[in-house]
Amino acid sequence: MDLSWLTAVLLLIIFSLVLLILALLHVAYLTYAERKIIARMQQRLGPNRVGPRGLLQPIADVLKLIQKEDIVHPHVDRPLFAIAPLVSLVCAATGLSLIPLWDRFVLSNFNVGLLFILALSSLSAYGVILSGWASNSRYAFLGALRASAQVISYEIAMSLALLSIVLMAGSFNLQEIVKAQVASPFKINLIPQIVAFFVFMISAIAETNRVPFDLPEAETELVAGYFTEYSGIRFALFYLAEYYGMVVMSALAVTCFLGGYAGPFEVPGLPFFWFLLKLYVLLFFYIWVRATLPRYRYDQLMSLGWKILIPLALVNLFVTAFIKLMF
Amino acid sequence: MKLLEKILLIEIWKGLLLTLKKLLLDKPVTIQYPEKDKVIPAPGFRGRHALVRDPQSGDTLCIACMRCARVCPSQCIYIEYEIDAETKKRKVKRYDIEALRCVYCGYCEEVCPVNAVVLTEYFEYAGYSRDEVYFDKDRLLKNWDEFIATQKRPYLNPFWKPRGLPEKYLPVRKRNFTGV
Ligand code: SF4
Ligand code: SF4
């Protein structure tokens, strides 16, 4: 009895470590992939100095960022200033533990998984607000307000889009959602829920502050935002959170809309194959969008969120509920 | 039609398609300068300064007329001369160019009546200290030697005979110059 409990805990720890390392590697090489792909789209080369084809570039970047001088202004609220990037990072990264990577690999398969992920991603607004507040600088504070307004607005549209998925599956449990999709006639939720998928993808891009919604970090026009006072590795943590957010959002999209780990056929020996394939396609999409689209203006961004995406998601939710009731 | 285009985000898809095409079909145009690709500046590129070495006397061609020092907009040419007691000719004692202040306008080489000073097409001369780009007379002559070794002779800088200026208005030494 005792022993099985111990092995369960040990297994959990090992699983978490595997997941953590895999996720960190993914995040690190996502930055590399982003630079390479965008470079090719703009007919440049991208990183090619460190290691063969620049493959060690992410590692070199990390080493550089750790060595960089850590400037902390004397008037900042020190504890909050230090905690804020971690809040962002933890909120962005924890979601991964709830995503079913495979029907036998999910760290915590619990009933309200989707709700929990949504809660975590709303919490990341705290990281933003805290960093702006603790910096004790008007620029950072205004930037934080701007960024959190954006995160909160798009949060609503995203939650509404995901709710229709919950209606389809009849459960908040992500594992159940995948199973419900496999059992459904279309195999993936993308086909009946294309509108929700559309709303979700756009909100996910806005949630993770990426182009074309990267107003929070529009360095070129606005002299950056909530992280103005941060430097070195602390600054990098915000970026790490952003990339983590990308991975988690893509994983969530794969789970909720693209049938999760289920594929048209089993690939022997590679249980994560379909999940990773779908994940990479979505991540590529993020990068592709970034290389293509220009930034929104702030009022355009807000009106897109409130006047188009939220009504659209609401209508979609009603239609879904209606159809569910009828059949 | 307009509405449908808007709803289906046609323009955005067009943009995405364009970048995808660039990714898949086009090659990078990056120049990998020191390692793979050699950059050859166009003739008449205004690079490191030099004083032309007279092939006969081995010294500079400069006659210390001071025109370059006077025309230089950033006033970075310093010349001192002495007058030879026998021939009554001027002789340059000191000729310095502070290249960090130079704006590479090329006026000095244009105005020189004897084509003594030149901005060479040599461009790889970045240094680690200010002294390395402060050129005195010896250094300027050495710059010339380094530069001319890379040239197919005779070398004739386009700024020595400026375009649009009738030949007859040029000083004699400039008019008759056929290159070094
Ligand atoms: S190029 Fe122009 S600025 Fe430079 S030394 Fe000659 S005259 Fe002066
Ligand atoms: S213009 Fe020519 S000749 Fe006159 S001082 Fe300058 S370099 Fe010498």
Side-chain angles (χ1 to χ4, degrees):
Chain A
M1 186 64 201
D2 251 359
L3 212 64
S4 68
W5 181 80
L6 200 69
T7 42
V9 169
L10 264 181
L11 260 184
L12 200 63
I13 291 175
I14 291 173
F15 270 30
S16 339
L17 273 181
V18 168
L19 195 65
L20 182 71
I21 291 169
L22 270 181
L24 274 177
L25 274 178
H26 266 89
V27 169
Y29 277 90
L30 188 57
T31 60
Y32 172 76
E34 171 154 33
R35 290 165 72 177
K36 270 291 192 201
I37 291 173
I38 291 186
R40 289 312 283 256
M41 284 178 172
Q42 298 169 345
Q43 287 174 272
R44 295 183 286 116
L45 284 174
N48 64 350
R49 292 288 132 152
V50 196
R53 298 190 157 261
L55 267 173
L56 298 180
Q57 186 67 45
I59 296 163
D61 285 343
V62 169
L63 288 180
K64 185 190 92 178
L65 282 167
I66 289 175
Q67 286 174 11
K68 266 196 150 174
E69 188 186 2
D70 181 23
I71 303 163
V72 181
H73 196 264
H75 297 301
V76 303
D77 188 334
R78 250 177 178 282
L80 286 186
F81 188 79
I83 288 172
L86 293 176
V87 170
S88 284
L89 184 61
V90 168
C91 291
T94 315
L96 216 54
S97 62
L98 297 151
I99 306 271
L101 302 189
W102 181 29
D103 56 356
R104 266 168 287 159
F105 192 110
V106 49
L107 271 192
S108 68
N109 179 19
F110 87 116
N111 267 336
V112 286
L114 191 55
L115 213 54
F116 190 71
I117 290 190
L118 283 177
L120 277 174
S121 68
S122 351
L123 267 180
S124 67
Y126 275 86
V128 171
I129 279 272
L130 280 183
S131 59
W133 171 255
S135 297
N136 196 8
S137 142
R138 284 167 194 80
Y139 301 107
F141 188 57
L142 285 174
L145 288 183
R146 195 177 67 220
S148 50
Q150 171 183 338
V151 169
I152 290 167
S153 320
Y154 280 85
E155 186 78 42
I156 298 171
M158 192 164 88
S159 314
L160 287 174
L162 286 176
L163 268 186
S164 37
I165 296 299
V166 171
L167 278 185
M168 297 280 290
S171 165
F172 273 111
N173 184 318
L174 289 166
Q175 188 78 270
E176 298 283 316
I177 289 174
V178 174
K179 287 198 177 122
Q181 282 181 71
V182 176
S184 74
F186 295 112
K187 300 288 177 218
I188 52 176
N189 272 339
L190 174 65
I191 297 167
Q193 288 293 351
I194 180 88
V195 177
F197 181 67
F198 172 75
V199 173
F200 177 82
M201 277 315 283
I202 293 181
S203 324
I205 294 176
E207 269 280 299
T208 46
N209 304 335
R210 285 186 56 86
V211 176
F213 305 102
D214 63 339
L215 267 293
E217 58 212 28
E219 299 98 340
T220 38
E221 302 114 43
L222 300 163
V223 203
Y226 56 92
F227 48 68
T228 312
E229 302 293 330
Y230 284 82
S231 58
I233 191 73
R234 288 179 207 267
F235 167 76
L237 285 183
F238 282 118
Y239 264 83
L240 196 61
E242 181 186 317
Y243 281 87
Y244 243 122
M246 260 169 89
V247 174
V248 172
M249 286 298 157
S250 307
L252 196 60
V254 169
T255 310
C256 291
F257 291 95
L258 303 179
Y261 48 77
F265 54 88
E266 281 278 317
V267 180
L270 288 170
F272 300 139
F273 179 79
W274 290 109
F275 184 86
L276 285 182
L277 186 71
K278 292 169 191 173
L279 186 72
Y280 291 156
V281 169
L282 284 186
L283 289 177
F284 174 75
F285 181 73
Y286 271 94
I287 296 171
W288 186 16
V289 166
R290 174 166 183 183
T292 310
L293 298 183
R295 224 173 245 139
Y296 267 80
R297 215 170 51 216
Y298 199 72
D299 57 321
Q300 291 173 331
L301 175 135
M302 275 301 183
S303 63
L304 177 69
W306 287 95
K307 291 190 195 150
I308 296 177
L309 291 185
I310 292 178
L312 201 62
L314 265 178
V315 169
N316 183 56
L317 185 62
F318 279 128
V319 172
T320 312
F322 188 70
I323 292 174
K324 263 292 205 199
L325 265 181
M326 302 274 40
F327 305 102
Chain B
M1 204 56 217
K2 268 267 182 294
L3 191 72
L4 201 68
E5 263 182 27
K6 223 172 183 173
I7 291 175
L8 293 178
L9 308 175
I10 296 294
E11 296 298 321
I12 288 183
W13 286 113
K14 271 191 201 161
L16 286 171
L17 210 67
L18 180 77
T19 36
L20 193 66
K21 254 195 242 152
K22 289 269 170 211
L23 173 74
L24 297 177
L25 303 178
D26 286 1
K27 288 248 169 310
V29 293
T30 314
I31 290 174
Q32 285 172 284
Y33 155 58
E35 285 121 35
K36 287 212 183 116
D37 303 314
K38 195 98 186 73
V39 180
I40 300 163
F45 172 85
R46 301 199 281 258
R48 184 166 74 175
H49 312 72
L51 274 178
V52 177
R53 195 188 284 281
D54 184 2
Q56 269 104 54
S57 67
D59 199 13
T60 165
L61 289 170
C62 176
I63 51 171
C65 69
M66 305 294 280
R67 288 192 202 183
C68 55
R70 219 173 303 135
V71 80
C72 176
S74 51
Q75 310 208 328
C76 59
I77 306 180
Y78 311 107
I79 304 172
E80 272 172 27
Y81 61 87
E82 55 194 3
I83 294 175
D84 201 314
E86 293 164 26
T87 55
K88 297 276 184 288
K89 275 188 179 163
R90 289 181 184 184
K91 195 171 173 319
V92 218
K93 232 168 62 185
R94 175 169 157 233
Y95 192 108
D96 294 355
I97 293 183
E98 199 179 342
L100 280 178
R101 280 178 53 193
C102 170
V103 295
Y104 295 91
C105 59
Y107 288 173
C108 48
E109 47 180 348
E110 230 179 276
V111 82
C112 178
V114 294
N115 298 339
V117 68
V118 59
L119 293 173
T120 62
E121 283 126 48
Y122 183 85
F123 61 94
E124 296 166 304
Y125 59 101
Y128 286 103
S129 71
R130 302 182 79 87
D131 295 339
E132 285 173 58
V133 278
Y134 187 96
F135 302 129
D136 57 12
K137 189 179 155 201
D138 291 337
R139 191 62 213 284
L140 285 165
L141 285 167
K142 207 175 118 228
N143 286 351
W144 173 257
D145 293 340
E146 276 172 21
F147 168 67
I148 202 67
T150 68
Q151 293 299 308
K152 292 184 211 80
R153 287 177 222 199
Y155 174 79
L156 188 71
N157 194 300
F159 291 91
W160 285 343
K161 292 184 176 173
R163 255 180 303 165
L165 196 67
E167 191 110 324
K168 62 177 178 203
Y169 291 139
L170 293 174
V172 183
R173 302 271 280 275
K174 221 169 164 106
R175 220 183 306 149
N176 297 338
F177 204 84
T178 49
V180 245

